[in-house]
Amino acid sequence: MNIADLRKSYEKAELNESASQADPMKQFEQWLGEAISSEVPEPNAMTLATVGSDLRPSTRIVLIKGFDEHGIVWYTNYASRKGQELAGNPFAALQFHWVELERVVRIQGVVEKVSDAESDEYFHSRPLDSRIGAWASPQSQVIDGRGVLVANAAKFGAKFLLQPPRPPHWGGYRLKADTWEFWQGRKSRLHDRLRYSQQTEGAGWLRERLAP
């Protein structure tokens, strides 16, 4: 099989200025809702891109846990590679790819930590195993083997029983978007791309069509 010959014709839908929302967050809410109702696999999964002090980008999949007019929220280990990179460079990008709907959403902006109260509330809503896992995993660090994680989980499970507190190194981030792009696959590679750019304070969003 020659992978260069793999092709797909995108013909499910269209995206135009008259039928799209003027506010990108409302457009995102609409598309995310459609992804969820269509039962695509993990509609809440998004790629997070950060850049380290060496200027080399890195990506990973995280899960969106909330969104509103203030931004998009996810939770992770602050000491992880992404946490360290965000500490040095707070600008990041997110991408959702809903393959079955032939849609992509790209989001860029500045990232900040959510409040301790928000992190506490979400942490205590998680399953017990996940709360213990936040203590057990020294995320992004080199370990000798899976046994390290199993032993750590057992240790912290015995220590905290049913009430593990939120680790000080674990919590939420919020990306406040200044640029959005909505991509809808179209036939003959003439895809629809609408970009929303934040204008000066109070001036709203500029919506522009980009060539595919």
Side-chain angles (χ1 to χ4, degrees):
M1 179 183 296
N2 185 350
I3 61 172
D5 292 333
L6 294 176
R7 291 181 175 84
K8 177 183 177 181
S9 181
Y10 301 102
E11 302 179 20
K12 286 186 179 295
E14 63 182 42
L15 177 65
N16 58 59
E17 292 82 347
S18 62
S20 62
Q21 301 283 350
D23 184 332
M25 185 61 79
K26 292 181 178 178
Q27 182 65 37
F28 172 72
E29 182 176 17
Q30 176 185 325
W31 271 21
L32 177 59
E34 290 172 2
I36 294 171
S37 62
S38 297
E39 298 184 341
V40 305
E42 295 198 278
N44 55 334
M46 58 187 185
T47 300
L48 165 65
T50 56
V51 176
S53 59
D54 57 1
L55 302 183
R56 299 185 66 164
S58 60
T59 64
R60 73 287 289 162
I61 303 297
V62 297
L63 301 179
I64 183 175
K65 293 300 179 180
F67 67 94
D68 57 23
E69 67 276 11
H70 302 296
I72 293 176
V73 174
W74 68 93
Y75 292 85
T76 190
N77 187 317
Y78 292 145
S80 65
R81 177 176 176 179
K82 54 186 170 296
Q84 293 178 23
E85 291 182 346
L86 286 170
N89 176 11
F91 294 97
L94 300 171
Q95 178 171 294
F96 291 83
H97 187 192
W98 298 308
V99 178
E100 293 77 6
L101 300 179
E102 301 173 355
R103 288 175 173 172
V104 173
V105 180
R106 301 171 61 201
I107 312 162
Q108 300 175 48
V110 66
V111 178
E112 63 184 10
K113 290 181 179 178
V114 306
S115 69
D116 287 344
E118 288 178 88
S119 290
D120 286 341
E121 181 179 7
Y122 174 69
F123 182 80
H124 292 296
S125 74
R126 305 177 83 207
L128 177 60
D129 287 351
S130 297
R131 284 178 279 155
I132 293 296
W135 283 95
S137 175
Q139 194 174 115
S140 299
Q141 296 182 27
V142 175
I143 57 176
D144 291 334
R146 185 170 179 80
V148 173
L149 301 178
V150 174
N152 284 349
K155 179 181 71 174
F156 287 111
K159 179 179 180 178
F160 296 126
L161 300 178
L162 300 179
Q163 299 296 329
R166 177 175 65 88
H169 58 262
W170 191 98
Y173 288 102
R174 175 178 288 106
L175 182 142
K176 183 174 179 59
D178 53 34
T179 306
W180 297 73
E181 183 184 323
F182 295 85
W183 182 98
Q184 176 69 63
R186 295 296 300 274
K187 189 176 181 180
S188 302
R189 296 297 186 266
L190 299 179
H191 311 302
D192 290 328
R193 295 175 63 189
L194 294 184
R195 181 180 64 192
Y196 294 74
S197 303
Q198 190 173 49
Q199 303 303 286
T200 56
E201 190 69 27
W205 294 87
L206 173 65
R207 180 177 51 193
E208 301 172 296
R209 176 172 289 269
L210 303 179

